[in-house]
Amino acid sequence: MNLDSLPSAPSRKAELSRYGKLDAAMEAAFSEIEELAAQICETSVAVITLPEGPKGKDRQETPLATTIYQCVSPQKGLFIVPDLAVDERFQDHALVRGEPSLRFCAGAILESEQGLPMGALCVLDCSPRRLTAAQEKALSVLARQVITKLELLATRQRLHSSEERFLSFMAYSPAACWIATAEGRLQYASPGYYTLFGIKEADVTGRFIKDLFEPELTQLYLENNRTVLRQQSVMESFEPGVRWDGSAGEFLSVRFPITLPGREPMVGGIALD
């Protein structure tokens, strides 16, 4: 069966696209799951097959596992082929008729959170056999772990893309943007911040603003930070400052509270000359 012929094919491809590429850490995690599956099921090998899914540097699809998955993917849960050599769907496959003469395959469909078949965790052996009830349950649990890993990969891809967009936006923004604690420890400063104030350091993350500005300015900035957090409101004002060339200026400043559950309250700010 061609995967493109399944009714869920468009949705499945869209779902697979969320995962991106497998990095080294995820490849290692998949290898550990495969080793554990083979050990528990007492088979020669186990393989995670993700047709048209994310690929890694050192991972390749196993042709027989992919073929079996294509045949059984409309179903859900476990599939078991006790003897590949007598199953007309697989008996002529090169890996069954020739080396390594595979005879047994069992697998658990990798079902996404949306209920779509993404692939399978398969165990293969060179002797006809069956799995015990405990082995079947373990294979299903490990398959869910694969999906959990894939969802983690998708989340990381989404965060990476989001961070790239944010950094690109900040790189081209003429405004000086920053995030700091109430006491003035900088958590983030945009390129515009460095440019406007003439800061030469490569990174000021973790530095206090008292190390970057004169005492009078530091006192004003900290007082405004505390006011914003105390009132939990946006503060718009004109603040004095010193430009990159040493000249005095007055900047339009907008400060706002950033409060996240379980995190230290912080202040975000934007300044324009």
Side-chain angles (χ1 to χ4, degrees):
M1 175 180 291
N2 190 315
L3 294 177
D4 290 336
S5 66
L6 294 174
S8 61
S11 299
R12 177 180 179 275
K13 287 185 177 181
E15 189 77 357
L16 285 169
S17 68
R18 297 170 50 237
Y19 302 135
K21 293 183 178 180
L22 297 180
D23 57 20
M26 195 60 69
E27 285 192 67
F30 277 14
S31 293
E32 289 177 354
I33 291 175
E34 289 169 337
E35 291 174 7
L36 186 57
Q39 182 178 356
I40 292 173
C41 295
E42 302 177 286
T43 58
S44 303
V45 67
V47 62
I48 295 168
T49 180
L50 292 163
E52 302 172 347
K55 300 294 188 291
K57 181 179 178 181
D58 300 319
R59 295 190 65 81
Q60 296 181 346
E61 290 292 331
T62 300
L64 179 57
T66 301
T67 299
I68 294 173
Y69 167 71
Q70 290 174 334
C71 290
V72 302
S73 57
Q75 74 180 58
K76 296 184 178 183
L78 285 171
F79 61 85
I80 299 175
V81 184
D83 191 346
L84 295 164
V86 298
D87 191 311
E88 62 182 13
R89 296 172 297 176
F90 315 114
Q91 60 188 7
D92 292 328
H93 196 284
L95 295 179
V96 176
R97 297 185 64 182
E99 293 297 326
S101 301
L102 292 171
R103 298 291 299 276
F104 168 77
C105 180
I109 297 295
L110 303 176
E111 189 175 327
S112 74
E113 293 181 350
Q114 287 68 40
L116 299 171
M118 297 291 101
L121 169 60
C122 299
V123 290
L124 302 122
D125 206 1
C126 296
S127 301
R129 50 168 303 176
R130 291 187 177 275
L131 297 180
T132 65
Q135 290 171 332
E136 290 181 5
K137 182 177 181 180
L139 195 59
S140 297
V141 170
L142 290 174
R144 290 196 292 272
Q145 285 298 308
V146 175
I147 288 296
T148 299
K149 296 290 185 184
L150 287 173
E151 287 301 321
L152 175 61
L153 184 64
T155 299
R156 282 162 46 184
Q157 290 289 129
R158 186 170 63 252
L159 290 175
H160 179 69
S161 298
S162 178
E163 182 180 21
E164 280 191 331
R165 289 193 296 270
F166 170 76
L167 293 178
S168 296
F169 178 81
M170 287 291 101
Y172 289 97
S173 172
C177 305
W178 71 92
I179 300 173
T181 66
E183 300 308 315
R185 184 189 289 272
L186 286 164
Q187 305 299 304
Y188 169 79
S190 71
Y193 187 93
Y194 291 83
T195 300
L196 182 60
F197 298 118
I199 296 173
K200 306 296 184 183
E201 298 181 43
D203 186 9
V204 298
T205 301
R207 297 288 305 279
F208 285 93
I209 61 174
K210 66 182 179 63
D211 300 325
L212 305 171
F213 300 101
E214 295 297 324
E216 295 81 4
L217 293 176
T218 297
Q219 183 176 352
L220 173 63
Y221 297 159
L222 290 178
E223 185 177 317
N224 288 344
N225 277 1
R226 294 176 187 129
T227 298
V228 166
L229 288 177
R230 184 174 61 253
Q231 298 180 352
Q232 285 295 295
S233 62
V234 176
M235 172 186 286
E236 183 176 324
S237 62
F238 285 95
E239 297 178 346
V242 180
R243 299 185 182 91
W244 63 273
D245 60 0
S247 62
E250 193 172 52
F251 308 102
L252 173 61
S253 172
V254 179
R255 296 171 186 265
F256 49 91
I258 300 175
T259 53
L260 300 173
R263 302 286 297 276
E264 178 183 5
M266 290 183 283
V267 175
I270 302 170
L272 287 170
D273 191 354

